[in-house]
């Protein structure tokens, strides 16, 4: 097994229990449920919340509800009771694997990284990830969850391409990321690819792109007119405000409607979660002055990890994935600024860390299926390009 380790990640668990507080589902193998059945461990949870496990879409998960959002097996001292009483390997594999993520590319290489919803990963607490080689390889041998990319790779469904085309494209993207500001490199990639796809129509069935198609998109990017670039910025604003919704602590759908009304220009922006009530333009001003670029280095590290773990290929296709990585600085700055506003401070590291945790948790696939959102934005950028044929 050949495993590559994300050089951006430093990690050693600090036992904060924070990952166990989140509202995502925790899958449980039937043997794990069996091993705690009737045990004092399970009885404590049943006493507290009625049941320890339940089925969801054919999968056994840890039971949580509105009144009990954290894992029932988490003790007061923030340690896992299954781990403490029955040992590390008695825990569900999902918990043993957290915070690692594994992606296998068609060349059989495994890319090991970790998610920034984990405190230690976010704050770079611990040694480089490669030092966890032994436990990672053990997890992989014992059947850890691996996102496998096989055969052709989606560019924007129904368009697909070969992995060797993708590898050449990634090499060029990385070269550009080393040479120009990161957002400019992504904008060139998105504009070029959207423009090239817009010249193909929209087939009903899977269509394998011609060899050299992806490489040709870089040349197109240079020719895209200024109006298309301006419209892409509009997509950025609309998408950022759309992605803000699943990140709101209240999850109040009435607030979602208010955000939509503000984006359409029908009302001032009102977000009670952050005590924000002012025109959208004032939010821009606050983000420029109150957040600025002070967290750019840390955001770049996160983007580096997203690329390492192939988020640009696993989140609905190459174009939606590029849009995801491109939009992250905007949404993280937005969340940082709103969090700072609520506390009436200029943005601090703790506001930023909250924003980073929130963006990773809700926008890269743990709690919400955001793939359709990135795919919709990708089709919007293709539609914009149709108005500017080259
Ligand atoms: S969030 Fe990370 S650091 Fe905290 S307990 Fe979980 S794995 Fe450990």
């Amino acid at each position: 097994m050949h495993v590559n380790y994300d050089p951006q990640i430093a990690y050693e668990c600090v036992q904060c229990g924070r990952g166990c507080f989140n509202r995502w589902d925790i899958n449980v193998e039937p043997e794990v449920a069996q091993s705690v059945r009737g045990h004092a461990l399970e009885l404590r949870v049943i006493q507290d919340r009625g049941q320890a496990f339940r089925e969801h879409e054919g999968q056994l998960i840890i039971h949580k509800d509105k009144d009990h959002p954290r894992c029932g097996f988490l003790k007061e001292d923030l340690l896992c009771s299954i781990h403490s009483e029955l040992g590390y390997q008695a825990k569900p594999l999902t918990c043993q694997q957290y915070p690692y993520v594994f992606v296998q590319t068609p060349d059989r290489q495994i890319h090991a990284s970790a998610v920034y919803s984990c405190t230690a990963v976010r704050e770079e607490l611990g040694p480089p990830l490669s030092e966890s080689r032994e436990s990672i390889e053990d997890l992989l041998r014992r059947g850890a969850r691996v996102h496998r990319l096989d055969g052709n790779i989606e560019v924007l469904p129904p368009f697909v391409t070969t992995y060797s085309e993708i590898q050449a494209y990634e090499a060029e993207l990385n070269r550009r990321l080393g040479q120009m500001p990161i957002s400019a490199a992504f904008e060139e990639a998105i504009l070029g690819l959207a423009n090239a796809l817009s010249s193909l129509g929209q087939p009903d069935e899977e269509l394998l792109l011609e060899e050299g198609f992806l490489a040709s998109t870089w040349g197109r990017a240079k020719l895209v007119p200024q109006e298309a670039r301006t419209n892409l910025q509009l997509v950025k604003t609309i998408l950022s405000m759309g992605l803000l919704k699943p990140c709101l602590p209240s999850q109040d759908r009435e607030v979602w409607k208010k955000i939509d009304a503000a984006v359409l220009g029908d009302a001032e922006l009102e977000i009670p979660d952050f005590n924000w009530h002012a025109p959208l333009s004032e939010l821009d001003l606050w983000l420029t002055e109150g957040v600025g670029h002070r967290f750019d280095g840390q955001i770049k590290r996160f983007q580096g990890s997203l690329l390492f773990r192939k988020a640009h290929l696993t989140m609905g296709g190459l174009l939606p994935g590029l849009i995801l990585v491109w939009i992250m600085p905007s949404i993280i700055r937005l969340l940082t600024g709103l969090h700072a506003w609520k506390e009436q401070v200029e943005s601090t590291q703790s506001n930023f860390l909250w924003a980073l945790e929130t963006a990773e948790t809700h926008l890269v696939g743990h709690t919400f299926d955001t793939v359709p959102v990135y795919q919709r934005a990708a089709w919007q950028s293709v539609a914009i390009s149709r108005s500017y044929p080259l």
Side-chain angles (χ1 to χ4, degrees):
M1 149 173 38
H2 187 85
V3 186
N4 303 303
Y5 294 89
D6 185 348
Q8 273 98 192
I9 301 289
Y11 161 74
E12 183 166 30
C13 180
V14 292
Q15 304 192 330
C16 67
R18 216 173 152 91
C20 319
F21 289 15
N22 260 310
R23 52 179 198 247
W24 54 56
D25 287 343
I26 302 172
N27 292 350
V28 178
E29 298 74 40
E31 316 82 69
V32 172
Q34 197 53 41
S35 68
V36 298
R37 195 135 285 154
H39 195 285
L41 281 173
E42 188 194 36
L43 299 180
R44 272 202 298 270
V45 181
I46 292 174
Q47 240 171 17
D48 178 46
R49 59 181 65 184
Q51 64 186 108
F53 308 103
R54 69 183 160 87
E55 267 205 26
H56 177 63
E57 295 174 357
Q59 168 70 52
L60 198 61
I61 59 172
I62 298 270
H63 172 68
K64 300 187 204 172
D65 56 36
K66 219 164 163 271
D67 299 327
H68 305 94
R70 56 160 71 180
C71 175
F73 292 96
L74 188 67
K75 297 187 293 175
E76 286 302 310
D77 60 6
L78 300 182
L79 295 178
C80 168
S81 58
I82 302 181
H83 187 149
S84 312
E85 296 187 33
L86 303 177
Y88 168 77
Q89 294 213 359
K91 288 196 292 189
L93 198 57
T94 304
C95 307
Q96 294 181 44
Q97 180 168 342
Y98 187 80
Y100 303 133
V101 276
F102 306 120
V103 175
Q104 186 179 54
T105 37
D107 56 1
R108 315 289 299 158
Q109 304 243 347
I110 291 180
H111 307 268
S113 184
V115 287
Y116 286 64
S117 46
C118 161
T119 305
V121 172
R122 214 166 39 248
E123 300 187 29
E124 295 185 81
L125 307 173
L129 186 66
S130 54
E131 292 192 19
S132 302
R133 180 181 306 266
E134 232 173 84
S135 52
I136 286 178
E137 293 191 359
D138 176 55
L139 275 168
L140 288 166
R141 270 191 293 273
R142 289 193 292 115
R145 190 159 165 260
V146 178
H147 188 125
R148 291 194 162 80
L149 290 163
D150 290 318
N152 290 330
I153 306 285
E154 289 177 331
V155 172
L156 177 60
F159 299 108
V160 298
T161 191
T162 61
Y163 187 55
S164 57
E165 289 282 299
I166 289 283
Q167 283 176 303
Y169 186 84
E170 284 178 333
E172 180 59 20
L173 177 65
N174 283 330
R175 194 185 69 74
R176 286 164 185 258
L177 286 169
Q179 282 186 344
M180 58 171 89
I182 194 160
S183 59
F186 276 110
E187 270 155 30
E188 290 301 289
I190 292 164
L191 287 166
L193 188 49
N195 193 284
L197 289 172
S198 75
S199 66
L200 298 180
Q202 195 172 337
D204 295 331
E205 290 178 359
E206 184 173 294
L207 184 87
L208 179 64
L209 295 168
E210 275 175 21
E211 200 180 326
F213 177 88
L214 285 187
S216 74
T217 64
W218 296 110
R220 281 179 172 261
K222 278 195 264 164
L223 305 173
V224 169
Q226 187 52 42
E227 294 96 307
R229 293 171 192 274
T230 307
N231 284 338
L232 187 66
Q233 294 311 317
L234 205 63
V235 171
K236 190 180 210 170
T237 305
I238 295 169
L239 181 58
S240 300
M241 297 310 287
L243 291 174
L244 173 63
K245 296 184 216 165
C247 296
L248 294 179
S250 69
Q251 285 302 300
D252 183 344
R253 298 303 196 262
E254 287 308 308
V255 181
W256 289 29
K257 285 185 199 156
K258 287 179 181 166
I259 293 175
D260 289 340
V263 172
L264 291 171
D266 295 342
E268 285 197 342
L269 180 62
E270 192 185 340
I271 315 174
D273 299 70
F274 300 107
N275 302 332
W276 182 273
H277 192 162
L280 202 51
S281 54
E282 283 191 31
L283 181 56
D284 285 340
L285 200 65
W286 167 242
L287 295 183
T288 308
E289 290 175 1
V291 183
H293 290 281
R294 77 188 62 138
F295 305 106
D296 284 6
Q298 295 177 77
I299 297 175
K300 192 173 170 192
R301 179 172 82 95
F302 180 49
Q303 289 177 295
S305 283
L306 290 174
L307 289 174
F308 185 92
R309 66 167 115 133
K310 308 288 177 192
H312 58 293
L313 304 181
T314 58
M315 294 291 289
L318 177 62
L319 184 54
L322 290 173
I323 288 176
L324 178 158
V325 186
W326 166 67
I327 202 73
M328 279 301 130
S330 303
I331 185 76
I332 292 172
R333 275 193 210 107
L334 177 61
L335 290 167
T336 304
L338 286 169
H339 200 250
W341 177 264
K342 188 178 177 191
E343 294 181 353
Q344 290 293 297
V345 291
E346 242 197 29
S347 55
T348 61
Q349 177 71 3
S350 99
N351 299 135
F352 165 74
L353 290 173
W354 175 83
L356 180 57
E357 178 182 10
T358 303
E360 167 77 278
T361 304
H362 301 307
L363 305 180
V364 197
H366 296 340
T367 52
F368 283 90
D369 180 10
T370 42
V371 165
V373 179
Y374 300 118
Q375 286 185 332
R376 227 174 6 253
W379 280 112
Q380 273 165 2
S381 59
V382 171
I384 288 171
S385 298
R386 274 204 193 101
S387 315
Y388 309 99
L390 298 179

